[in-house]
């Protein structure tokens, strides 16, 4: 067993035991006490364990609690923030807004929090934030929790029949004159079930997405009532989308 393999095994042993001493390592690997101490010292320098007197102690991995404070590290944060603020201006107290998953969606939810707007979402981080901030009217669409996306998915159409909204805000991985594209088919299909139960569809994408044709076509451009994006978006595509009846707002 080489040094790398031994280090890996030492860390595995520490997962089972809070503390292991030099004597244990020496016997387990049939190595000298000097080699055992050297292994502990190297792993301590790498931050993988804590060196203690005559042994090593496991470092507890602190799982970072999801927090809206992390949102400002997302790509194109400033532009997305402006898009969210402009999108929030469309809603009036008493309106109902369906908000789907993503960083822009979360930023929009922050803007609408406390504004007297009913928010319908299957995005668990957003729902958690709104509840924590005591937003009065939150509807969380149920289903099976998808940990990767942080959303609830339910293929049964009947589960959504009771919900409707004045607005639906959604994003995607690409937008062209053809329409909005999404890469995750499950989330796209779940959102498509709501399209016939909302008054206005608003697409919120940063300008880097405009011109990209990625994934499946979620909806044609003619179905988009409003597009809110950045001023750096491709003007030819913006003009082509406007020609299909979409009201474009550049921020």
């Amino acid at each position: 067993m080489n040094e790398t393999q031994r280090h890996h095994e030492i860390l595995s042993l520490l997962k089972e035991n809070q503390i292991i001493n030099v004597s244990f390592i020496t016997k387990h690997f049939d190595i000298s006490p000097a080699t055992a101490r050297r292994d502990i010292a190297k792993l301590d320098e790498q931050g993988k364990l804590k060196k203690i007197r005559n042994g090593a102690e496991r470092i507890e991995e602190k799982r970072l609690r999801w927090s809206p404070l992390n949102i400002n590290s997302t790509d194109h944060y400033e532009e997305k923030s402006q898009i969210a603020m402009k999108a929030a201006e469309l809603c009036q107290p008493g309106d109902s807004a369906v908000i789907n998953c993503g960083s822009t969606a979360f930023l929009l939810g922050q803007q609408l929090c406390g504004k007297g707007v009913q928010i319908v979402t299957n995005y668990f981080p957003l729902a958690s934030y709104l509840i924590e901030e005591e937003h009065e009217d939150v509807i969380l669409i149920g289903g099976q929790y998808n940990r990767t996306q942080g959303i609830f998915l339910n293929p049964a159409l009947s589960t959504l029949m009771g919900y409707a909204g004045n607005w639906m805000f959604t994003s995607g991985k690409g937008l062209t004159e053809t329409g909005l594209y999404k890469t995750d088919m499950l989330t796209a299909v779940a959102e498509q079930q709501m399209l016939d139960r909302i008054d206005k569809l608003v697409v919120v994408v940063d300008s880097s997405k405009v011109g990209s044709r990625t994934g499946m076509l979620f909806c044609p451009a003619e179905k988009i009532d409003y597009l809110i994006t950045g001023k750096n978006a491709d003007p030819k595509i913006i003009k082509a989308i406007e020609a299909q009846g979409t009201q474009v707002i550049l921020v």
Side-chain angles (χ1 to χ4, degrees):
M1 180 180 291
N2 61 34
E3 183 182 88
T4 300
Q5 293 171 327
R6 194 167 62 247
H7 286 183
H8 179 76
E9 181 65 18
I10 289 172
L11 295 174
S12 295
L13 289 170
L14 278 172
K15 289 181 180 179
E16 302 171 5
N17 306 277
Q18 178 71 29
I19 295 174
I20 56 176
N21 56 37
V22 170
S23 177
F24 177 85
I25 296 173
T26 299
K27 293 177 181 178
H28 186 85
F29 296 102
D30 191 24
I31 57 177
S32 68
T35 300
R37 290 191 178 91
R38 186 164 57 248
D39 285 344
I40 292 172
K42 286 184 178 181
L43 290 169
D44 178 75
E45 290 175 1
Q46 296 170 16
K48 295 180 179 179
L49 55 73
K50 181 181 179 182
K51 182 172 67 173
I52 60 175
R53 184 176 181 182
N54 202 36
E57 182 178 8
R58 178 176 70 217
I59 294 178
E60 297 293 344
E61 294 183 4
K62 294 182 179 180
R63 184 179 178 185
L64 291 176
R65 180 178 178 271
W66 188 92
S67 168
L69 295 176
N70 299 334
I71 194 70
N72 60 7
S73 63
T74 190
D75 292 338
H76 310 290
Y77 169 76
E78 293 298 333
E79 185 177 310
K80 289 179 179 179
S81 182
Q82 293 179 46
I83 290 170
M85 286 189 285
K86 186 60 67 173
E89 293 177 4
L90 295 174
C91 298
Q92 301 298 318
D95 282 354
S96 178
V98 179
I99 303 179
N100 297 306
C101 65
S103 54
T104 306
F106 184 83
L107 290 165
L108 172 58
Q110 283 186 312
Q111 292 293 321
L112 292 176
C113 186
K115 299 291 178 63
V117 175
Q118 181 185 74
I119 297 178
V120 182
T121 187
N122 65 346
Y123 190 30
F124 186 64
L126 174 57
S128 297
Y129 171 80
L130 293 170
I131 293 168
E132 183 69 23
E133 294 296 317
E134 300 183 352
H135 185 75
E136 290 190 1
D137 200 347
V138 182
I139 296 177
L140 181 60
I141 299 174
Q144 181 176 346
Y145 181 62
N146 182 304
R147 182 173 177 272
T148 302
Q149 298 287 335
I151 62 175
F152 288 92
L153 291 171
N154 196 323
L157 180 60
S158 59
T159 62
L160 299 173
M161 291 301 289
Y163 300 107
N166 302 108
W167 304 93
M168 178 173 172
F169 297 90
T170 192
S171 188
K173 292 296 184 182
L175 177 70
T176 69
E177 63 274 15
T178 303
L180 179 67
Y181 290 83
K182 293 178 180 284
T183 55
D184 192 300
M185 185 175 294
L186 287 176
T187 59
V189 171
E191 291 178 27
Q192 283 176 331
Q193 294 177 5
M194 290 293 294
L195 288 177
D196 293 332
R197 280 172 286 283
I198 50 98
D199 297 328
K200 299 291 184 181
L201 175 63
V202 184
V203 170
V204 287
V205 293
D206 65 79
S207 56
S208 70
K209 306 291 195 314
V210 178
S212 175
R213 192 189 305 268
T214 304
M216 64 171 284
L217 181 64
F218 172 74
C219 71
E222 62 188 31
K223 294 287 187 180
I224 301 171
D225 295 292
Y226 289 85
L227 165 63
I228 306 178
T229 187
K231 293 179 180 178
N232 293 327
D234 188 324
K236 292 182 179 179
I237 294 176
I238 293 299
K239 186 175 181 180
I241 292 174
E242 284 180 316
Q244 298 180 65
T246 300
Q247 184 171 333
V248 178
I249 301 173
L250 301 178
V251 299

